[in-house]
Amino acid sequence: MVKKICCIGAGYVGGPAMAVMAQKCPSIEVAVVDVSRPRIDAWNSDRLPVHEPGLYAVVRACRGRNLSFSSDVDRHVADADIVFVSVNTPTKSRGLGAGLAADLAYWESAARMVASAASRSATNGESKSKIVVEKSSVPVRTAEAMERILLAHGGGEGDDAAFHVVSNPEFFSEGTAMRDLLCPDRVLIGGRDRDAVRALVDVYAHWVPEDRIVTTTSLCSAELSKLAANAFLAQRVTSANAISALCEAVGADVSDVSRAVAMDRRVGGGAFLNAGVGFGGPGFHRDVLRLAYACDCNGLPEAAEYWRQVVAVNEYQKSRFVRRVVSSMFGTVAGKKVAVLGFAFKKGVADTRESPAVDVCRGLLGDRAHVSMYDPAVSEKQILRDTAGKVRVARDAYEAAEGAHGLCVLTEWEEFRTLDYRRIFDGMQRPAFVFDGRNVVDVGKLREIGFVVYSVGKPL
Ligand code: UGA
C-alpha cells in the first residue's frame, strides 16, 4: 500500500502533477522537494512559481493537509514508497550531441540522491523497496541509465531489488495543465516489474478511469511514446504550415483545406491542423530533435532526416513570414515602425521559449525595423531579454500600433480578434498593412476598413 510519495523537482511538471495527486489521493502524503530553497519558499507562499489556472486553489486546499513542499530532500526521499524524478533536462549546449541531446546532469544527481538516501535508511534497518518514477521528458533509454546508477549503489536485482524503475511521462500542455491532469486522454506507465507498475496504476486509478491507463512492460516504449506524441503533433502543425505556403501560391484557403482534411475520421479531428507562423514552446522543438538524434545514434539517418525536416519547415515558415512582411512593405522595413501583437508561444501563457514571435522579431530587427510590442501576459523584462532590449514595449495594442506602417499578429490571444481595428487603422500610416500570423483577424472586415491584409495560407 502506497502511503508516501515524494517528487524530486518542484518545477513546471512536478508541482502541478503532485498537487493533483495530493488532491485526488487524500490517504497518501505527497512531498515535493527541491534543492532550491527560494523555489520551495515560493511554493509555500501565495505567489506560486508556476502559473496555471486552477493550480493555486488546489495547492491551497492540500498544503498542510497531505501536500508539502520542502528542501529536505534526503528525509523525504528516504521515507517515500514512490519517488518521482521530475528535474530539468535541458538540451546540451556543448560537447557530444550539443543542441540535440539532453543534458542529464540534474537527472544523474537525482538518481545518486535516491541511491544514497535509500542506502542510509537501509543502514538504519528501515530498508524497503522503492519505486522510482521517471517523470521528466527524457531521451529514450534514460530509465535504463537510472537503473544502472541505482544498482551500482547496491540496489540488488530482480524481485529483491531495492528499486524498481518505472517510466510515467507527462503529457499536459502549458496553460491547461490542471484540466489535462484531472482528465487526461491517457496515463502511460512503463516498467518491467509488474507490482511496481500496478502500484502506480492504483495511485492514478483514484481519479483516472482504468481504460485510460495504458501500461507497457518496456521502459523505452513509454519513453519513446512521449517523444513520438510531441513529434506527431509538431509534424501535424508543420504539414498544415507546408500546405499554407502552397495555398498562398495557388490562391487556396488553408482553413478550408484543413477543415476538409480533418473531416476524414481517420485523421481524427481538426486539432493541431491550424496553420500559422510556426509552432513554438519548449516541448515540440526539443522532442522532435531528440527523436532525430535517437535515430542518428541508432544508425537510422533517413528516419532522422524525416524528423529534422519538421524543424526545418518550421524555420522556413517563420522566415517566409518575415520575407512576406518585408517584401509587401516595398522591400524594406528599415526605419519603419512595425507593431507586433503577441509574443508568447501560444495564447494563455506568458512563456516565450521557442516562440516563433522571437524569431520573427529578430528578423524584422535585422532589417532595421522599429518594433513596438504588446503582449497581454509576457512581462516587459522578458520581452527585452529576448530581443536584446531592441524593441519598445507598449501598454496595449492601440499604443503599439500608433503611427505604425505595419502590424503583425504573432500569438492567437482572443483579445486580438475583437480589437477596434477601425481605431487602429485611423492611427496607422498609409498604406496600413496587417500580417496575421495566427489567422485571428476577420480578413474581409479589415479589407473593408482599408487595410492591406496578409493571412497565413489565405488568398491575397
Ligand atoms: C506540448 C504538447 O501538446 C503536450 O502534450 C506536451 O506535454 C508538452 O508539449 C511538453 O512536452 O512540454 P505545449 O508546448 O504546452 O504542449 O503547447 P501546445 O498547445 O502543444 O502548442 C505548441 C505549439 O504549436 C504552439 O506554438 C501553438 O501555437 C502551435 N500550434 C498548435 C499551431 O501552430 N497550430 C495548431 O493547430 C496547434
Side-chain angles (χ1 to χ4, degrees):
M1 212 20 200
V2 172
K3 292 208 181 81
K4 286 187 180 171
I5 286 178
C6 167
C7 173
I8 305 180
Y12 186 76
V13 171
M18 293 303 120
V20 168
M21 206 166 269
Q23 183 196 27
K24 294 295 177 183
C25 309
S27 59
I28 300 178
E29 264 179 56
V30 180
V32 183
V33 299
D34 202 297
V35 287
S36 160
R37 196 176 272 272
R39 178 161 278 264
I40 290 299
D41 290 345
W43 278 106
N44 282 319
S45 75
D46 289 340
R47 289 177 64 91
L48 303 184
V50 170
H51 305 286
E52 279 294 335
L55 173 62
Y56 180 64
V58 174
V59 168
R60 202 180 40 189
C62 300
R63 221 170 30 193
R65 188 186 76 184
N66 65 331
L67 175 66
S68 62
F69 297 91
S70 162
S71 48
D72 189 350
V73 179
D74 283 355
R75 180 168 66 85
H76 288 288
V77 170
D79 285 353
D81 306 298
I82 300 182
V83 180
F84 284 87
V85 180
S86 185
V87 296
N88 206 2
T89 50
T91 297
K92 276 177 91 169
S93 57
R94 55 175 65 187
L96 190 67
L100 299 168
D103 180 346
L104 292 174
Y106 297 113
W107 226 84
E108 196 176 328
S109 82
R112 290 181 196 283
M113 247 185 256
V114 175
S116 69
S119 73
R120 264 197 308 279
S121 44
T123 325
N124 298 337
E126 304 158 6
S127 170
K128 58 178 174 186
S129 116
K130 273 188 205 313
I131 300 167
V132 180
V133 186
E134 172 189 66
K135 193 83 183 144
S136 323
S137 218
V138 288
V140 184
R141 308 190 97 151
T142 303
E144 281 179 17
M146 175 133 214
E147 255 175 346
R148 279 202 303 276
I149 295 173
L150 295 173
L151 294 180
H153 282 73
E157 273 190 58
D159 289 345
D160 298 330
F163 308 101
H164 295 293
V165 177
V166 171
S167 168
N168 169 221
E170 190 47 71
F171 294 103
F172 73 68
S173 299
E174 245 181 273
T176 54
M178 300 308 275
R179 196 182 70 200
D180 297 348
L181 284 162
L182 287 166
C183 196
D185 285 348
R186 80 312 211 171
V187 166
L188 178 60
I189 302 171
R192 276 188 294 274
D193 186 81
R194 262 205 283 152
D195 293 339
V197 169
R198 186 70 234 173
L200 199 54
V201 169
D202 289 343
V203 171
Y204 279 105
H206 279 83
W207 78 98
V208 181
E210 287 225 22
D211 60 355
R212 296 225 176 151
I213 306 179
V214 183
T215 60
T216 74
T217 48
S218 143
L219 283 165
C220 69
S221 296
E223 291 172 322
L224 184 53
S225 302
K226 165 70 192 182
L227 300 188
N230 269 351
F232 267 59
L233 291 171
Q235 173 271 336
R236 219 172 134 98
V237 174
T238 300
S239 293
N241 286 342
I243 295 289
S244 77
L246 188 57
C247 284
E248 287 164 33
V250 301
D253 185 328
V254 74
S255 304
D256 293 340
V257 177
S258 285
R259 193 168 59 242
V261 170
M263 283 175 77
D264 186 323
R265 263 174 301 177
R266 291 165 301 178
V267 172
F272 285 78
L273 282 179
N274 291 325
V277 65
F279 64 73
F284 280 9
H285 195 257
R286 174 196 68 208
D287 287 347
V288 174
L289 288 180
R290 281 183 188 172
L291 197 56
Y293 186 65
C295 294
D296 269 334
C297 292
N298 286 284
L300 306 166
E302 291 84 358
E305 196 44 37
Y306 173 76
W307 291 112
R308 263 197 295 274
Q309 273 305 307
V310 171
V311 171
V313 172
N314 197 48
E315 295 303 315
Y316 161 74
Q317 188 75 349
K318 293 182 267 187
S319 55
R320 202 167 74 76
F321 186 85
V322 174
R323 275 201 305 278
R324 172 73 68 184
V325 174
V326 174
S327 65
S328 306
M329 291 169 75
F330 316 110
T332 180
V333 288
K336 294 178 185 164
K337 178 171 173 181
V338 179
V340 168
L341 303 189
F343 200 52
F345 82 84
K346 64 174 180 180
K347 71 174 176 184
V349 303
D351 195 341
T352 62
R353 285 177 293 170
E354 305 293 343
S355 177
V358 175
D359 285 333
V360 168
C361 283
R362 286 189 187 139
L364 296 172
L365 292 165
D367 216 77
R368 292 186 291 125
H370 296 308
V371 174
S372 179
M373 161 87 61
Y374 168 68
D375 186 285
V378 182
S379 70
E380 179 167 359
K381 208 164 123 198
Q382 186 64 45
I383 294 173
L384 295 175
R385 198 180 302 145
D386 287 335
T387 55
K390 291 197 178 121
V391 308
R392 221 174 56 78
V393 180
R395 272 175 312 219
D396 60 29
Y398 303 103
E399 186 188 313
E402 185 61 40
H405 295 78
L407 180 146
C408 303
V409 181
L410 301 182
T411 310
E412 69 281 23
W413 288 104
E414 290 304 320
E415 66 177 76
F416 298 158
R417 291 182 198 277
T418 53
L419 290 170
D420 181 349
Y421 280 100
R422 156 71 56 193
R423 179 177 158 200
I424 287 180
F425 182 75
D426 289 343
M428 283 177 67
Q429 309 276 345
R430 300 288 182 270
F433 293 92
V434 166
F435 303 95
D436 184 1
R438 296 290 194 162
N439 288 340
V440 298
V441 306
D442 183 333
V443 178
K445 222 158 139 191
L446 263 63
R447 286 191 178 142
E448 243 170 59
I449 294 174
F451 284 105
V452 179
V453 186
Y454 161 77
S455 260
V456 174
K458 304 260 176 190
L460 295 174

